[in-house]
Amino acid sequence: MNRSNVLRTLCSFCSRQTTRNIGLEPTSSGGNLLKSRPPISSLHQSSLKRNLSTAGHTSLKTVDYDEQTRCTTLDNGLRVVTEDLGGLSACIGLWIDAGTRYETSRNNGVAHFLEHLIFKGTKKRSQYDLEIQVENMGTQLNAYTSREQTVYFGKCLSKDSQQLVEIFSDILTNSNLDKGSIERERSVILREMQEVESMLQEVVFDHVHEHAFKNSPLAFTILGPASNINSINRHMLVDYITTHYTAPRIVLAAAGGVNHDQVVTWAQKYLGHIPKTSPLSWTLQPYKYQSASYGKEIPGLDIAHVVFTVEGVAWANPDIIPLMIGNMLVGAWDRGTSNQSANFISSSNQLAAACLNEGLCYSYQSFNTCYLDTGLWGVHFASTAENVNPMIEHISREWIRVATASSDQEIERAKRSLKTNLMLQMDGYQQICEEIGRQMLCYGRRISLQEMNRRIDLVTPAQVRQVISHYAVDSNNIKPVVVGVGPVADMMSADDAKNLIQNIS
């Protein structure tokens, strides 16, 4: 099982993604401060050409975001977005607005369970037939589940793109979900749960969500509890598909050597029958963020994994960009890395300097996790027991320094580093395709790298300091969360951390 930390150092959309592979790869709150600026999801009308039809589809509405990226909405509401980059290969996938957050306490884990079953055979293909066809095409199929999205995507030769779209249609709408496969995957997921429990960075982020978003679906783990895994049945899986896999919540994204009109034709043929609405009612439960403290002692473990975080912002909140820049200012540090510039850390960063000179931790990483209506902005670190509280203190001091004393030059350097990171993350058809799918679900449109760079350039150093102060330093606003696993018996509480910030500032 492969695991991916998508842009965690920038703006990850979940704390963990579980991945399924088939083919040639191994299996394995608040408002905003920048009210004068438009939400990042708002459309730049001058940069878009709106067409009421696309070749051969006179009733469909198409938006050209730029010379390469086009979006057509089918009659049932499913969006087809392509980015024609030329070449002989492509990445194509389905991004679905359905994940752990759309579950209940009774069926928590069903989205991930479904991901395991989706490649186990359909009414048209057995699992063996599917695997043979995929291997004969030289295609690689993958899937992952996050707290807000489920994704099925694949890489193929451009000439096989139609076959891949048809395969996705088949597994999405005709999966057998037979009892034998359900029972086999049940044991596989229980073993996976044991593996995850040994990944302390994953465990600590699950506990962060559990306590920061207590009594709301964002608190659920992706795998779900063992009791649910043992009780999930075919009826629950079918209900989840019927409720959440509706066309307006699905994006067919393609990048590489793809022709938009062809992809729209295939989408009409293979995905045009997906229902527009669900006969089953569902209301997305709002998040409930709260300050919290939690420590889990693990006997025999001498390294503590700790997360110190405050509430961040949603994807479309314009404060996201100052927080991304602030994220770069706090940066990441690892004892195995000999120079700060390798982690884009400023020489003014006192947190990194303390870690280097005083040996406070083995590593730390600032993160900015975003959801549709909230987020988390903080630092994860690994240290010995005696350095847990000193690390929290130094993190607090660094947040205050960034909010009150960071120089314009330092902030401009962080902006350049952020743009560099964003560009490097788009190195390949798969990365571009994933960005298209995520952006369409989070923002409702494609945001080019050029536009993102312009938005970063528009943010002033004063705005960065103001936003960081509001979310991470203002004692009237912040609600810290302190969560640790390992030797954390003496770890300070969230109230202690808030008082510490108040006293330092």
Side-chain angles (χ1 to χ4, degrees), residues 268-323:
Q268 281 277 71
K269 180 178 181 180
Y270 301 121
L271 301 168
H273 65 285
I274 294 177
K276 190 171 186 176
T277 59
S278 170
L280 304 176
S281 62
W282 172 264
T283 301
L284 178 64
Q285 298 299 310
Y287 77 95
K288 299 175 183 178
Y289 177 87
Q290 60 187 9
S291 181
S293 310
Y294 175 77
K296 180 180 181 180
E297 286 282 324
I298 301 179
L301 188 67
D302 58 359
I303 299 176
H305 282 260
V306 180
V307 169
F308 178 31
T309 186
V310 293
E311 185 177 12
V313 299
W315 282 111
N317 190 315
D319 289 348
I320 187 176
I321 294 181
L323 285 175

Side-chain angles (χ1 to χ4, degrees), residues 454-474:
R454 290 195 299 271
R455 286 181 173 271
I456 293 170
D457 288 336
L458 286 171
V459 176
T460 67
Q463 287 174 328
V464 173
R465 290 188 285 265
Q466 179 189 17
V467 169
I468 301 303
S469 178
H470 175 76
Y471 289 99
V473 177
D474 185 354

Side-chain angles (χ1 to χ4, degrees), residues 21 79 109 192 233 235 240 244 415 473:
N21 303 299
R79 287 165 288 177
E192 182 180 342
N233 55 41
H235 176 73
Y240 188 83
H244 300 294
K415 290 165 66 174
V473 177

Side-chain angles (χ1 to χ4, degrees), residues 184-367:
R184 284 191 296 272
E185 291 307 308
R186 198 187 310 279
S187 61
V188 170
I189 296 172
L190 290 171
R191 289 196 300 272
E192 182 180 342
M193 179 178 290
Q194 293 176 340
E195 295 176 9
V196 170
E197 288 173 353
S198 67
M199 302 174 185
L200 297 184
Q201 183 172 344
E202 308 286 357
V203 171
V204 73
F205 272 97
D206 277 345
H207 286 309
V208 168
H209 285 78
E210 176 188 359
H211 293 277
F213 299 112
K214 189 176 181 179
N215 298 322
S216 64
L218 273 178
F220 295 155
T221 63
I222 292 173
L223 271 64
S227 57
N228 281 12
I229 295 171
N230 282 316
S231 63
I232 287 174
N233 55 41
R234 189 179 192 279
H235 176 73
M236 297 166 72
L237 294 162
V238 171
D239 272 0
Y240 188 83
I241 294 173
T242 303
T243 303
H244 300 294
Y245 281 27
T246 53
R249 295 173 62 178
I250 299 174
V251 173
L252 173 63
V258 292
N259 177 281
H260 181 78
D261 294 333
Q262 284 185 335
V263 178
V264 170
T265 299
W266 304 333
Q268 281 277 71
K269 180 178 181 180
Y270 301 121
L271 301 168
H273 65 285
I274 294 177
K276 190 171 186 176
T277 59
S278 170
L280 304 176
S281 62
W282 172 264
T283 301
L284 178 64
Q285 298 299 310
Y287 77 95
K288 299 175 183 178
Y289 177 87
Q290 60 187 9
S291 181
S293 310
Y294 175 77
K296 180 180 181 180
E297 286 282 324
I298 301 179
L301 188 67
D302 58 359
I303 299 176
H305 282 260
V306 180
V307 169
F308 178 31
T309 186
V310 293
E311 185 177 12
V313 299
W315 282 111
N317 190 315
D319 289 348
I320 187 176
I321 294 181
L323 285 175
M324 291 166 70
I325 297 168
N327 192 46
M328 297 302 297
L329 287 166
V330 179
W333 182 88
D334 191 289
R335 185 175 291 183
T337 303
S338 60
N339 63 84
Q340 293 184 353
S341 61
N343 289 318
F344 298 96
I345 291 179
S346 166
S347 58
S348 303
N349 188 312
Q350 296 177 6
L351 174 60
C355 292
L356 178 64
N357 298 325
E358 302 174 30
L360 287 182
C361 71
Y362 296 101
S363 66
Y364 82 78
Q365 184 165 15
S366 181
F367 62 86

Side-chain angles (χ1 to χ4, degrees), residues 69-127:
T69 310
R70 305 181 69 193
C71 173
T72 295
T73 302
L74 304 186
D75 291 334
N76 62 356
L78 187 145
R79 287 165 288 177
V80 181
V81 189
T82 66
E83 196 155 308
D84 186 359
L85 303 170
L88 300 177
S89 64
C91 181
I92 302 174
L94 297 172
W95 272 255
I96 306 171
D97 179 29
T100 306
R101 188 175 184 179
Y102 297 87
E103 300 171 343
T104 66
S105 58
R106 179 174 175 269
N107 73 354
N108 175 210
V110 68
H112 175 257
F113 206 120
L114 179 60
E115 172 211 315
H116 273 252
L117 288 168
I118 207 76
F119 297 121
K120 301 304 178 183
T122 69
K123 298 176 177 64
K124 180 178 178 180
R125 298 175 173 90
S126 67
Q127 179 180 347

Side-chain angles (χ1 to χ4, degrees), residues 468-480 497-503 505:
I468 301 303
S469 178
H470 175 76
Y471 289 99
V473 177
D474 185 354
S475 60
N476 295 319
N477 180 67
I478 63 170
K479 296 178 181 179
K498 183 173 181 177
N499 291 334
L500 176 65
I501 292 174
Q502 187 174 9
N503 292 334
S505 59

